[in-house]
Structure formats: structure tokens, C-alpha cells
Amino acid sequence: MSDTTKINKREFFKRAGLATAGAVGATTLAMPHVRAQAPIRWRLQTYAGPALAEHVVANAIEWFNTAANGEMEIELYTADQLVPHGELFRAVQQGTIDAAQSDDDSAAAPVDVKVFGAYFPLASRYSLDVPALWHWRGLKEIWEEAYAEIPGVTWLSTGAWDPCNFGTTKPINSLADLRGLRVYTFPTAGQFLSRYGVIPVSLPYEDVEPALQTGELDGICWCGITELHTVGWANVLKYYLTNPLSGAWAGSYFVNSDKWNALPPHLQQLYRMMIDSSHYYRQHWYWAGEASYRINGNLELTTIPAAEWKQVETDAVAFWDEIAAQSERSARVVEIIKQYNADMEKAGAPYRY
């Protein structure tokens, strides 16, 4: 090695240090910059108590939190846990909570279409009627229009839950047996049922079972037979009326508008996919459960004869007309429901029998 190429130990380590620093610099530049930050956290309150929430929303939130991969986390709260259910919509609007899962009616949404949430009497026969009405008959666009007028809350989706039937401590075999029954139910359903002498009762969700045990309530018209068994109400009831007040509960997902708009698009899309997964799970869970619990459940089945129940169906259409008179938008919804049911009749089995 010539003198011009010789380097001493000091020079060697100096050059080695520069090379190492260059390598580190190159590696740093080649790697994407990752900013360490805490995940976005939301609080969502559902209409459902703890046992039911496991099936109607908790599983979907678990899927979302996993898929969000640390970028976002949703904390679930059950019925009345953070705010009373009747104040749920306002709580989302004010930002007290970030999101809610409920029907429009019992959450006291300040829109004219809220009466069609939950169980609008005899508007549907099966659970698939709800998504068909919203996605293919124009209700989705009407809901978007209605909630666009309300500041602070964004409506995202409506899907189907279980049918609405009476679960009671006394047998119901005729319309006359409804008279005087104190029943836990939804606001609009109670308004309709009162014409048969039913006395609607409003209670916190967790007070329903004790009220049935003490005789303060004679029954509920809140859900189908799957929910009666899942939440334990079937243990303090004796009878289940097979005539449905409605084929499916129409429930929605709401979010605080500011919190929603602040989410990056990929998390918004993930949230919408979570909602759709939740809707799909309930379709098959309820459909299987309604049949299974009629066969294997704790309750004795009773039925009002079809000829007598026909009066309820006729009264329901008259009730629809009363609601239609409340606003132009409500009239549009009623017209869609009427046309849809007429079409289902024309289509025949299995759509209508």
C-alpha cells in the first residue's frame, strides 16, 4: 500500500463513522414517517341492555376496533348507562357522547319521520322489508333529507331487528283481552295500541323485569321472542302472542356531525362497514331465534284469530293516514309504505301469503 493510500487508525474510524451515519440517514429517508399518537376514541351508547347488546352491537364494535388497528377505538355503553334513553339523541347532538344506536322514536329525534322508527304498526311483515324499503324504495334519501335539517347529528343507516309481539303474564286470545293491559312499549306503538284499551307504560329499561314481577306491568310489546329469552324477560312472562304488531324494528346509527367529519375517509368507510356487518348478523340471528324459541322456549303461544286480527290491519292503514297528515314528508313515507306492501301482495309467496 502506498503512502497516498495509507490511513491511520484515527482516519479509519472517522471515515467509518461517516459511512455509518450515511447508512442510518439513508435508512431513515427510505422508511415512511410514522407519527406516534393516541387513537381516536369514541363513546357509543346503545338502546340495548347488556345481554342484548352482545348481539346487536358489541360484536360489531369489537370487529371495528380490531380492524382499526390502533387508529381508533369505540367504547360501548348500554341502555341508560351514560344518559337516559329519552335524551340519547340530544346527547349525541351536544357531543356528550359521540354516537348512538337506537330507533328515532324512543331516542326522541326531533324529526317528523321519527314515528316510522322502531315499530310503525304493521308497516312490515319480515325483517328484509326494512332494508328493502330504505335502500330500494327511497326511505334512505328521505332520512338523509330529514336529518340534514337537524344540526349536530348525522344519520348513517337504518336496519332491521326483531319483530314486535306481545309477551304477557295473562293470555291474549282476542282483541278484548288487550283492554286494560299495562304494557311497556314504544311511543308510536303505544299511541296505536291505546285504541284497543292498552295502557302504555314508560320505564327505564332495567326496571322492566322487576315491574313484571311485581305486577306493575302486565306485559311488553317491545320485541320478538328471541329478545324475550336473551334478556331474561321470558323468565317472568307466561305467554307470547304470535300476531305481530310489526315485522321488524327499524333501528338506526347516529353520530355527532363534528366527530364524524373529523374522521379520515378510511375510518368513515370502516365505520359504515361495521354498521353493515351489524345489520347482517342481526338478520340471521333473529330469524333463527324467532323460530327456535317458539319451539323450544319458555312461553306458551297464543293467537288472535286471523278474521279478528284483520281489524287491526285495517286500523293500521287508517293510522298511517293520520300520520301522513302531520307533514308532507310523512305523507311521502306513508305512500311508499302503502305501495311497497301492495307490491308485496301482488308478488305473492314468499313475499306475502
Side-chain angles (χ1 to χ4, degrees), residues 13 37 62 74 122-123 174 220 225 247 298 312 319 345 351:
F13 284 116
Q37 61 180 17
E62 182 179 345
I74 301 172
L122 291 130
S174 69
I220 66 172
I225 199 167
N298 300 335
V312 179
F319 181 75
E345 291 289 345
Y351 300 96

Side-chain angles (χ1 to χ4, degrees), residues 42-272:
W42 273 19
R43 300 195 300 175
L44 182 152
Q45 182 169 308
T46 177
Y47 75 96
L52 185 65
E54 289 297 318
H55 290 281
V56 301
V57 68
N59 48 7
I61 287 179
E62 182 179 345
W63 302 332
F64 177 90
N65 288 342
T66 299
N69 197 31
E71 290 187 63
M72 182 171 173
E73 185 174 336
I74 301 172
E75 299 171 354
L76 174 64
Y77 296 87
T78 54
D80 303 308
Q81 195 171 359
L82 293 179
V83 297
H85 188 67
E87 300 174 15
L88 189 57
F89 190 92
R90 184 176 296 277
V92 175
Q93 192 174 38
Q94 295 175 338
T96 305
I97 57 178
D98 306 298
Q101 179 203 48
S102 176
D103 67 283
D104 321 58
D105 200 21
S106 62
V111 290
D112 48 4
V113 295
K114 74 175 182 178
V115 296
F116 303 104
Y119 294 114
F120 193 57
L122 291 130
S124 63
R125 182 75 61 86
Y126 308 116
S127 59
L128 279 174
D129 289 335
V130 170
L133 280 163
W134 260 262
H135 290 285
W136 300 104
R137 291 302 182 103
L139 293 194
K140 174 179 178 288
E141 289 74 19
I142 292 177
W143 257 245
E144 289 172 342
E145 171 193 306
Y147 282 100
E149 299 171 2
I150 307 301
V153 176
T154 300
W155 168 87
L156 292 179
S157 180
T158 293
W161 270 249
D162 50 340
C164 185
N165 296 67
F166 279 91
T168 56
T169 57
K170 305 172 183 179
I172 301 173
N173 296 294
S174 69
L175 290 179
D177 292 334
L178 296 175
R179 186 160 298 279
L181 291 183
R182 292 161 297 183
V183 174
Y184 176 66
T185 189
F186 292 88
T188 301
Q191 181 184 346
F192 176 71
L193 290 171
S194 63
R195 67 189 58 203
Y196 305 106
V198 170
I199 302 170
V201 178
S202 178
L203 288 171
Y205 189 88
E206 66 271 16
D207 292 345
V208 172
E209 186 170 340
L212 288 166
Q213 292 173 312
T214 62
E216 182 182 351
L217 284 177
D218 299 306
I220 66 172
C221 191
W222 178 269
C223 59
I225 199 167
T226 304
E227 185 166 334
L228 292 179
H229 285 79
T230 301
V231 305
W233 290 342
N235 298 328
V236 292
L237 294 168
K238 294 182 179 179
Y239 304 96
Y240 182 76
L241 181 66
T242 60
N243 308 79
L245 178 67
S246 179
W249 191 75
S252 294
Y253 280 84
F254 304 94
V255 292
N256 177 273
S257 297
D258 289 340
K259 292 297 185 67
W260 176 251
N261 293 333
L263 288 185
H266 71 286
L267 288 179
Q268 288 186 347
Q269 186 61 35
L270 185 62
Y271 194 85
R272 289 185 183 275

Side-chain angles (χ1 to χ4, degrees), residues 10-24:
R10 183 186 299 274
E11 186 67 18
F12 174 82
F13 284 116
K14 182 179 178 182
R15 292 186 182 182
L18 287 172
T20 303
V24 172

